[in-house]
């Protein structure tokens, strides 16, 4: 019997955007190519945002044209405004637009200087543009499990926005624990609440320590989540997060999925070397 698939997106953007030094473009290219050659099929390679706001992502446009992208692999990059979308669309090698929406109104304003209502209008316009050129539109919902901005959180509000973002043209959704608010109960609550409304289970973008990762991932899997963002070496995390939390470690995630009987398309034995390579880029 075929094992059920769990999709893993290697989030190089989240791994690299908050580093104190920029990873050189040539080193990014070598690393990304190595991941594609090793079987990674979904990669978030950067963002088309203001280089003043996020200098480490300023070279994102130099990456797609040089990579050899195998059939079936998908490259995504983040877009937070019209200018970013135009820059994205110059690259036919990019498949998926990643748009950052925030369930917390305060964080939406702080991160992208828009209200949630304005962001929703952008989703409508941007998703239509993306679809015209054959791209997938992915919306990630930041602060999906709570926030440290003092804004109220409820599953009913989450479900309401999931529905509105889908109606606006979102093809795929992610639930992001931007500042590591979630515990396993909260993860289960959020994914279970989305079941009735999301056309497919959203992806999980969790921030954790190696000690807390297993229980959070298990709660998401148990609630039907079959897609995760992760980073080799557990690198990164939102630069706005204050704690020791980092991204879900790809190596541990692959092992956990394999033990639970899921197929990730990634071979456990390849990951030690890639993990070391990722960590050395960050040091
Ligand atoms: N690409 C390149 N430059 C951009 C840009 C883009 N997508 N968006 C804005 N800029 C530049 C503008 O050219 C302008 O530069 P100038 O000061 O030299 O004239 C400056 O940034 C401000 O532009 P403005 O139109 O006022 O931006 P805005 O207020 O509509 O939006 C954001 C600003 C949100 C796009 C910007 O703050 C940003 O990129 N933030 C990063 C968000 C992010 O990546 N968060 C982490 C991931 S969730
Ligand atoms: Zn993150």
């Amino acid at each position: 019997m075929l094992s059920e698939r769990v999709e893993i997106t290697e989030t190089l953007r989240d791994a690299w955007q908050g580093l104190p030094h920029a990873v050189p473009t040539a080193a990014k290219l070598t690393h990304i190519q190595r991941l594609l050659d090793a079987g990674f099929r979904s990669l978030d390679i950067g963002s088309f945002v203001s280089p003043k706001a996020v200098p480490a992502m300023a070279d994102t446009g130099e990456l797609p044209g040089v990579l050899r992208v195998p059939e079936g692999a998908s490259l995504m990059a983040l877009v937070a405004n019209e200018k970013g979308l135009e820059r994205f669309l110059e690259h036919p090698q990019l498949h998926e637009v990643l748009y950052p929406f925030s369930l917390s109104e305060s964080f939406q304003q702080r991160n992208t200087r828009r209200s949630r209502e304005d962001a929703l209008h952008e989703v409508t316009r941007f998703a239509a543009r993306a679809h015209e050129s054959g791209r997938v539109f992915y919306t990630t919902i930041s602060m999906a499990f709570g926030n440290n901005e003092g804004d109220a959180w409820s599953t009913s509000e989450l479900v309401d926005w999931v529905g509105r973002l889908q109606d606006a043209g979102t093809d795929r959704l992610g639930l992001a624990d931007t500042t590591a608010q979630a515990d396993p109960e909260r993860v289960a609550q959020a994914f279970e609440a989305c079941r009735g409304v999301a056309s497919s289970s959203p992806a999980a973008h969790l921030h954790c320590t190696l000690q807390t990762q297993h229980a959070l991932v298990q709660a998401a899997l148990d609630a039907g989540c079959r897609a995760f963002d992760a980073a080799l070496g557990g690198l990164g995390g939102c630069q706005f997060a204050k704690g020791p939390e980092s991204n879900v470690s790809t190596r541990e995630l692959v092992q956990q999925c394999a033990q639970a009987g899921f197929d990730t398309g990634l071979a456990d034995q390849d990951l030690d070397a890639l993990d070391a390579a990722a960590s050395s880029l960050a040091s």
Side-chain angles (χ1 to χ4, degrees):
M1 200 179 81
L2 281 179
S3 325
E4 199 180 343
R5 178 89 177 183
V6 165
E7 293 300 334
I8 297 181
T9 296
E10 180 69 12
T11 179
L12 298 157
R13 175 184 54 80
D14 217 24
W16 291 338
Q17 69 187 357
L19 288 177
H21 64 275
V23 177
T25 310
K28 285 186 179 179
L29 283 167
T30 305
H31 188 66
I32 296 171
Q33 193 62 57
R34 208 170 154 190
L35 298 183
L36 288 168
D37 294 345
F40 281 74
R41 287 295 169 266
S42 177
L43 297 168
D44 176 2
I45 65 165
S47 57
F48 293 101
V49 297
S50 160
K52 279 188 204 146
V54 191
M57 297 290 108
D59 63 354
T60 298
E62 295 172 47
L63 307 174
V66 187
L67 295 164
R68 295 181 309 281
V69 185
E71 190 71 31
S74 174
L75 300 182
M76 68 167 86
L78 181 142
V79 156
N81 64 3
E82 195 99 41
K83 188 167 181 175
L85 181 68
E86 295 309 326
R87 289 175 61 205
F88 177 104
L89 291 173
E90 287 167 16
H91 303 282
Q93 305 85 355
L94 294 175
H95 305 94
E96 205 162 347
V97 177
L98 191 165
Y99 184 84
F101 178 84
S102 167
L103 191 60
S104 148
E105 179 72 29
S106 310
F107 185 68
Q108 183 79 58
Q109 291 282 1
R110 199 151 61 75
N111 191 30
T112 68
R113 302 202 203 110
R114 278 153 182 70
S115 66
R116 292 179 298 175
E117 288 296 337
D118 287 345
L120 182 68
H121 289 129
E122 271 190 342
V123 168
T124 306
R125 294 201 319 276
F126 290 9
R129 286 286 316 276
H131 294 153
E132 272 165 28
S133 60
R135 322 297 177 100
V136 172
F137 197 86
Y138 175 78
T139 303
T140 181
I141 303 183
S142 307
M143 305 289 189
F145 305 92
N147 63 80
N148 56 2
E149 304 276 340
D151 294 340
W153 177 90
S154 68
T155 49
S156 59
E157 199 181 13
L158 174 63
V159 164
D160 182 45
W161 279 105
V162 163
R164 296 178 79 188
L165 291 163
Q166 277 188 165
D167 291 346
T170 293
D171 301 301
R172 234 160 54 78
L173 281 156
L175 302 186
D177 188 20
T178 316
T179 48
Q181 309 290 309
D183 57 21
E185 288 70 20
R186 193 49 82 89
V187 168
Q189 236 183 327
F191 277 97
E192 274 157 20
C194 289
R195 261 190 189 164
V197 63
S199 48
S200 59
S201 177
H205 179 100
L206 302 169
H207 288 293
C208 54
T209 63
L210 268 182
Q211 287 68 41
T212 59
Q213 171 168 334
H214 192 277
L216 291 170
V217 166
Q218 196 57 49
L221 284 171
D222 290 347
C225 172
R226 295 291 179 268
F228 291 84
D229 287 354
L232 286 158
L235 295 181
C238 181
Q239 60 256 65
F240 306 109
K242 306 270 186 306
E245 295 83 4
S246 55
N247 276 295
V248 162
S249 155
T250 308
R251 185 175 54 177
E252 270 70 20
L253 177 63
V254 168
Q255 284 165 357
Q256 184 173 353
C257 288
Q259 278 159 13
F262 293 102
D263 169 31
T264 59
L266 296 169
D268 203 2
Q269 64 272 20
D270 294 343
L271 295 177
D272 284 347
L274 292 173
D275 214 51
S279 300
S280 79
L281 283 182
S283 58

